[in-house]
Amino acid sequence: MNWRKVVQLTMVHVGVSVTVVPVTSTLNRVMIADMHFSAFLVGLLISLPYLLSPIQVAIGNWADSHPLWGRFRSPWILIGGLLASFGSYFTAHAAFLMNTDFVPGLMAAIVAFTAWGLGVNIASVSYLSLISEISGENEGWRSRTISIMWTVMILSSILVSIMLSRSLTDFSQEALFTAFGAVWTLSTFLILFGSANIEGPNHSVTNGADVQSANPILAYRLLVENPSARRFFFYLLLVLVSIHAQDVLLEPFGGQVLEMDVSQTSRLTAIWGIGVLVTLVSGIYVIRKLGKKSCANIGAILAAIAFGFIIFSGLVKTIPFFQWSIFLLGLGGGLMTISNLSFMLEMTIPKAAGLYMGAWGVANFSGQALGTIASGLIRDVTYQLSNNVTAGYVIVFGLEIVGLVGAVLLFRRITVTRFREDSAMRLDQMLALLANP
């Protein structure tokens, strides 16, 4: 196990991930609850990174066989990471410009959120592909690397959340810009140092990937015509829609329904993060005992129960119960994350790592996009029809419960063995078509 690479991969993962925290734990609440923008509009902007997720297939596929500056993955990690950090920083400025001059502000917001989104997508597929390639068939190395990366990422998210909460005790525009600037500084530092020499000049992907580079249509057919790949794609889509539909709404729910201030709602990410951290620390042991699929299903059920508790906390107007529900959501979400990610990294083949990781990245980000946009729209429409600010949130959280239960049922039909058999067979067919066009 190469500890230097583990440390660097962790730095990159944290550097990209913390760019999300100020946008989805603070800016969303400010834009919806304080600036009174439509939750649908805010959800659409925050979903731009996810709507751009198809670029992951293209970048992963291209990088499989086209080195940049003599490297296959690290240049894209650097480019994507820096785009994410700069884009995230300017989202706050764009939001305040929207509040004073809507049309120019909206244009600036589209640019800032798009830059952030492109960066997150490009960096994510690149470092996840690198993990898959470095680990090869060594599942122990892969599992430990994932556990370390996600544990440190959640710890960092907790610390950033606490920093944001303390920085915004006396809320002002200047305070928000300063807080976003601090996150940008941290993110940029981690990305620059994490990506430096993370990939040696002699590194190369296993090159049966010429299928993808030679004919991109055949590459997409590897995915579309593989029933196991299709099934896993839709499972990821459903589970991620169901767990992430709350991303843009929890802080506004706290502000509008429970009358929490900006400092209090910014702290919710830390509470959620502590729950995730507990499952990440114990996750490897639990997964070894129960298996990835069982742990993913247990996590989904815990998350569904948490959403039920969140609904109850809003109906009875109790902040402490709401906070405990967020902690339980972190427990369930963390167990789902570590289980599904370990499973996802097994659902690939060496000859097409970038292609498959790109596809799972599209499912991941598309699920978050659909969840965020749909939840904002449902919340807005319900509020307009009922004039009850609580009703829209309750409906969204209830639908998330239904989706999580559906994901548990779908997951029963998916196996790594069947996926690899289907993938190998179709890859051989594609190679034969290339050899005898």
Side-chain angles (χ1 to χ4, degrees):
M1 186 171 181
N2 189 326
W3 285 105
R4 181 182 69 83
K5 289 190 183 297
V6 173
V7 170
Q8 287 189 275
L9 286 165
T10 300
M11 291 176 73
V12 169
H13 181 57
V14 170
V16 173
S17 298
V18 296
T19 67
V20 178
V21 177
V23 179
T24 60
S25 73
T26 302
L27 191 61
N28 63 322
R29 178 252 153 84
V30 171
M31 294 177 75
I32 295 172
D34 301 318
M35 295 179 177
H36 304 292
F37 289 127
S38 158
F40 173 69
L41 173 61
V42 175
L44 196 60
L45 288 171
I46 289 176
S47 295
L48 277 175
Y50 314 133
L51 293 172
L52 294 166
S53 62
I55 197 175
Q56 290 200 32
V57 175
I59 292 293
N61 174 44
W62 177 265
D64 277 341
S65 54
H66 293 79
L68 180 64
W69 307 323
R71 307 289 192 277
F72 287 90
R73 308 298 181 193
S74 52
W76 298 105
I77 293 172
L78 179 62
I79 292 168
L82 292 179
L83 264 176
S85 66
F86 278 87
S88 175
Y89 172 69
F90 284 110
T91 57
H93 293 73
F96 276 94
L97 181 57
M98 282 176 65
N99 201 36
T100 56
D101 197 347
F102 182 77
V103 175
L106 180 59
M107 296 300 102
I110 291 172
V111 171
F113 280 90
T114 298
W116 172 50
L118 283 172
V120 170
N121 279 285
I122 291 169
S124 296
V125 69
S126 301
Y127 66 72
L128 286 174
S129 296
L130 189 58
I131 293 172
S132 180
E133 290 161 5
I134 292 172
S135 61
E137 297 298 320
N138 190 338
E139 184 177 343
W141 191 96
R142 182 168 55 236
S143 297
R144 283 191 293 272
T145 301
I146 292 168
S147 181
I148 291 167
M149 287 173 64
W150 260 256
T151 299
V152 176
M153 183 270 285
I154 292 299
L155 274 171
S156 302
S157 297
I158 292 170
L159 293 174
V160 169
S161 175
I162 293 171
M163 180 275 290
L164 289 168
S165 177
R166 291 184 175 178
S167 300
L168 299 172
T169 301
D170 297 316
F171 180 76
S172 68
Q173 179 177 330
E174 292 73 22
L176 189 69
F177 289 170
T178 300
F180 269 64
V183 175
W184 167 80
T185 302
L186 173 64
S187 173
T188 302
F189 171 84
L190 291 171
I191 289 161
L192 287 173
F193 282 87
S195 60
N197 295 318
I198 192 173
E199 180 186 17
N202 297 321
H203 173 80
S204 63
V205 299
T206 306
N207 238 333
D210 293 338
V211 171
Q212 298 101 300
S213 58
N215 190 328
I217 295 176
L218 290 182
Y220 282 92
R221 283 178 59 188
L222 276 175
L223 298 170
V224 175
E225 296 180 5
N226 184 337
S228 297
R230 287 201 309 270
R231 196 173 295 125
F232 187 59
F233 182 93
F234 285 114
Y235 162 75
L236 287 176
L237 196 65
L238 178 59
V239 81
L240 288 158
V241 166
S242 302
I243 196 68
H244 287 291
Q246 50 78 25
D247 281 357
V248 75
L249 295 184
L250 276 183
E251 288 80 8
F253 175 81
Q256 293 185 308
V257 176
L258 298 175
E259 300 180 353
M260 300 167 70
D261 61 31
V262 176
S263 176
Q264 287 178 303
T265 56
S266 293
R267 204 174 298 132
L268 293 177
T269 297
I271 296 170
W272 166 85
I274 292 169
V276 173
L277 185 62
V278 170
T279 51
L280 288 180
V281 170
S282 60
I284 296 299
Y285 173 76
V286 176
I287 287 172
R288 284 175 182 168
K289 293 286 288 185
L290 301 178
K292 297 180 184 69
K293 291 182 72 171
S294 295
C295 287
N297 290 336
I298 292 169
I301 297 302
L302 285 175
I305 293 170
F307 283 124
F309 288 165
I310 289 170
I311 292 172
F312 180 75
S313 72
L315 297 176
V316 300
K317 311 289 185 185
T318 170
I319 293 175
F321 193 76
F322 174 57
Q323 292 170 328
W324 277 106
S325 302
I326 298 297
F327 173 75
L328 181 61
L329 181 62
L331 287 176
L335 194 54
M336 285 176 62
T337 296
I338 192 71
S339 304
N340 283 326
L341 188 59
S342 297
F343 199 85
M344 184 178 77
L345 289 173
E346 290 186 16
M347 295 285 281
T348 184
I349 56 176
K351 292 183 178 181
L355 177 69
Y356 282 109
M357 290 309 303
W360 309 150
V362 170
N364 184 350
F365 282 58
S366 298
Q368 294 184 57
L370 289 172
T372 302
I373 293 171
S375 65
L377 181 61
I378 292 168
R379 178 264 183 199
D380 285 351
V381 171
T382 306
Y383 177 62
Q384 292 297 321
L385 293 176
S386 67
N387 201 31
N388 184 330
V389 73
T390 305
Y393 294 109
V394 168
I395 289 176
V396 171
F397 299 147
L399 288 173
E400 287 183 278
I401 294 172
V402 173
L404 288 167
V405 173
V408 169
L409 298 176
L410 179 59
F411 203 20
R412 295 165 58 188
R413 302 180 58 199
I414 299 168
T415 67
V416 173
T417 302
R418 181 62 183 271
F419 165 80
R420 290 185 173 176
E421 289 173 353
D422 288 344
S423 299
M425 179 178 68
R426 279 159 180 79
L427 182 60
D428 289 341
Q429 292 172 350
M430 296 300 116
L431 287 169
L433 283 173
L434 283 176
N436 302 288

